[in-house]
Amino acid sequence: MHFDALLLSRLQFAFTIAFHIIFPSFTIGLASFLAVLEGLWLATNNAAFKTLYLFWVKIFALSFGMGVVTGVVMSYEIGTNWSVFSVAAAPVIGPLLAFEVLTAFFLEASFLGVMLFGWKKVGPRLHFTATALVALGTAVSAFWIISANSWMQHPSGYVRLASGALRATHWGEVILSPTFPVRLVHMMLAAYLTTSLVVGAASAWRLLKAPDEQESGLALKMAIGMFAIVAPLQLLAGDMSGKQALRYQPAKLAAIEAFWDTKSGQAFHIAAWPDRATASNRWEISIPKLGSLITAGSTNAEIKGLKAFAAQDRPPVFLVFWAFRVMVGLGLAMIALGLWGGFVVWRGQLAQARWFLRACVAMGPAGFVAVVAGWVVAEVGRQPWVIYGVLRTADAVSPVTRGEVSVSLLAFMVIYALIFSVGVLYVLRLMGEGPLTGAGAAAGVRPPGYALAAAPSDLGAGS
């Protein structure tokens, strides 16, 4: 690798987007979880749902804020590091990002204040409406971002002018590009899985310390129900996404599976060591013909290998291959955890199943890792194109020097390490204190260490 301005710009964007994506992937699901909690409280008048809401809304506020800050940074990066891309694609991509601001962000901003500070100031039904609209806003935001990214993965509904600039000719085809529906479902399910695993981990941690804490037990049961259902659905969505890659991005599919030669009856490589220099796998552990069956639905299907593409059109195989296996491996672990959790709940031994509780705690970060791994597969697998088949990444970079990008990359790494590490540690501290901290504060009780957490009254949410 040559650490020129191109590679450094790619590393910088990869670093910032990896930091950013962990927050939306959490807040999208958490906003829906909060809406469900408040709705259940209104429907049942069970105070446990309200206690859980008051607890998790603090964590949502902190995570939402960090997500907004990291997202703003990325917008500037597109202009500073990828100006050629901006000039060429702005007439198509720009409106999609503007629609995200005008619909999703304005919706969230309008009702977030009511959601966080309006508990004493508006009625419960209006407050629930605000929470539901914030949850809707997060989903709408995902809609527009995935729409823009899906168009870059498979551009449609556009024309290229003689100057090289792109213009939309059919906005319906731009917004709803062929890969968009499945990719949106895949991302939304990933967000719900990520949130349910975090809620499950925090609740399991509390049950390990206080087995009689009913609120944590209730939250854990809700989390188990979510990832027990969503994890298998995510496996199906991922399979559909892979079949779309076979149709629209065959080079990416070949990199995902480390297929080098074009042939029928491709093996599925459980593990391998792809080597771009020799255009082969140094070693592999494979199941014969399973690769063709999984990707094309037939053991005799012919699948293109990477050698069918020019060397300069092949994505980095090693990173894509292993990122995909990390994502799938964690997905299978989530399915297993859901089955285990369903069995434990059915037996009525949730608080006593300490090994299961420890497994839930260990799987807490799994959703974030799987999301980042999935984006590595999607973005690195698209290389060497920034707009697939239209604009190469090497031709999209700004005319900046290696030194300029190095300084900004180093600055981002230091600032993110300091600020966001503190933010994440603070969120973990809140999770560790549990939902009854807020309930005790509302009753005038101040447990040890409570000064570091926001009381419900600080959010305008009293009992």
Side-chain angles (χ1 to χ4, degrees), residues 149-213:
N149 186 265
S150 296
W151 183 83
M152 293 168 64
Q153 298 283 347
H154 183 74
S156 57
Y158 77 99
V159 65
R160 190 167 193 169
L161 305 181
S163 63
L166 308 178
R167 294 291 186 275
T169 57
H170 193 296
W171 280 107
E173 294 179 3
V174 171
I175 296 170
L176 303 175
S177 60
T179 65
F180 167 72
V182 171
R183 297 186 76 243
L184 177 63
V185 170
H186 198 43
M187 184 64 222
M188 293 301 293
L189 292 178
Y192 293 139
L193 263 177
T194 299
T195 301
S196 62
L197 287 167
V198 172
V199 172
S203 303
W205 176 264
R206 291 298 307 164
L207 289 177
L208 285 169
K209 295 179 175 295
D212 296 330
E213 193 169 272

Side-chain angles (χ1 to χ4, degrees), residues 5 14 55 68 96 131 136 141 180 207 212 217 231 243 256 282 288 327 344 353 371 394 413 427 437 440 452 459-460:
F55 171 64
V68 170
L96 300 184
T131 302
L136 175 62
S141 179
F180 167 72
L207 289 177
D212 296 330
K243 287 178 170 56
I256 288 173
R282 292 186 184 180
M327 179 180 64
V344 169
V371 165
M413 293 176 68
V427 169
T437 299
L452 293 176
L459 298 176

Side-chain angles (χ1 to χ4, degrees), residues 55-56 66 119-120 131 205 231 259 270 296 328 349 428 434:
F55 171 64
W56 284 103
M66 288 189 284
W119 195 281
K120 291 181 178 179
T131 302
W205 176 264
F259 295 154
I270 300 173
V328 173
Q349 299 177 342
L428 292 175

Side-chain angles (χ1 to χ4, degrees), residues 125-461:
R125 295 186 183 278
L126 180 55
H127 190 274
F128 169 69
T129 301
T131 302
L133 288 174
V134 170
L136 175 62
T138 62
V140 173
S141 179
F143 176 94
W144 289 113
I145 296 302
I146 297 299
S147 174
N149 186 265
S150 296
W151 183 83
M152 293 168 64
Q153 298 283 347
H154 183 74
S156 57
Y158 77 99
V159 65
R160 190 167 193 169
L161 305 181
S163 63
L166 308 178
R167 294 291 186 275
T169 57
H170 193 296
W171 280 107
E173 294 179 3
V174 171
I175 296 170
L176 303 175
S177 60
T179 65
F180 167 72
V182 171
R183 297 186 76 243
L184 177 63
V185 170
H186 198 43
M187 184 64 222
M188 293 301 293
L189 292 178
Y192 293 139
L193 263 177
T194 299
T195 301
S196 62
L197 287 167
V198 172
V199 172
S203 303
W205 176 264
R206 291 298 307 164
L207 289 177
L208 285 169
K209 295 179 175 295
D212 296 330
E213 193 169 272
Q214 296 181 0
E215 288 79 5
S216 293
L218 177 61
L220 181 54
K221 288 178 182 178
M222 295 176 70
I224 291 171
M226 177 58 73
F227 58 70
I229 295 172
V230 174
L233 293 177
Q234 183 70 311
L235 185 64
L236 295 175
D239 179 67
M240 294 174 63
S241 183
K243 287 178 170 56
Q244 282 193 339
L246 174 64
R247 179 178 180 182
Y248 296 112
Q249 294 179 317
K252 176 191 287 186
L253 188 278
I256 288 173
E257 301 296 349
F259 295 154
W260 293 98
D261 297 307
T262 301
K263 61 181 180 181
S264 59
Q266 292 276 17
F268 174 73
H269 304 312
I270 300 173
W273 192 274
D275 186 353
R276 292 184 71 181
T278 62
S280 64
N281 298 327
R282 292 186 184 180
W283 57 264
E284 57 192 40
I285 302 173
S286 309
I287 301 177
K289 296 190 175 183
L290 185 60
S292 289
L293 178 63
I294 292 175
T295 56
S298 171
T299 56
N300 295 318
E302 183 177 274
I303 309 296
K304 275 188 177 181
L306 286 163
K307 291 180 181 178
F309 305 93
Q312 65 269 21
D313 293 337
R314 300 172 190 170
V317 184
F318 188 90
L319 187 57
V320 175
F321 177 85
W322 280 108
F324 179 79
R325 272 142 189 80
V326 168
M327 179 180 64
V328 173
L330 289 174
L332 295 175
M334 294 171 196
I335 293 175
L337 188 68
L339 292 173
W340 189 5
F343 176 75
V344 169
V345 172
W346 176 70
R347 291 283 302 273
Q349 299 177 342
L350 185 60
Q352 293 76 38
R354 299 186 68 82
W355 280 108
F356 172 73
L357 297 177
R358 293 187 183 100
C360 286
V361 173
M363 285 291 289
F368 299 114
V369 177
V371 165
V372 172
W375 276 100
V376 168
V377 173
E379 301 307 300
V380 179
R382 184 180 59 197
Q383 297 304 315
W385 305 97
V386 65
I387 303 176
Y388 195 76
V390 176
L391 180 64
R392 289 181 177 270
T393 307
D395 298 328
V397 70
S398 299
V400 292
T401 65
R402 179 174 61 179
E404 291 170 333
V405 184
S406 298
V407 171
S408 59
L409 174 58
L410 182 61
F412 276 126
M413 293 176 68
V414 172
I415 293 171
Y416 277 42
L418 292 175
I419 296 178
F420 292 103
S421 295
V422 172
V424 171
L425 289 173
Y426 182 42
V427 169
L428 292 175
R429 176 70 177 270
L430 289 178
M431 290 181 183
E433 291 180 341
L436 292 184
T437 299
V445 178
R446 301 292 191 197
Y450 183 76
L452 293 176
S457 59
D458 296 331
L459 298 176

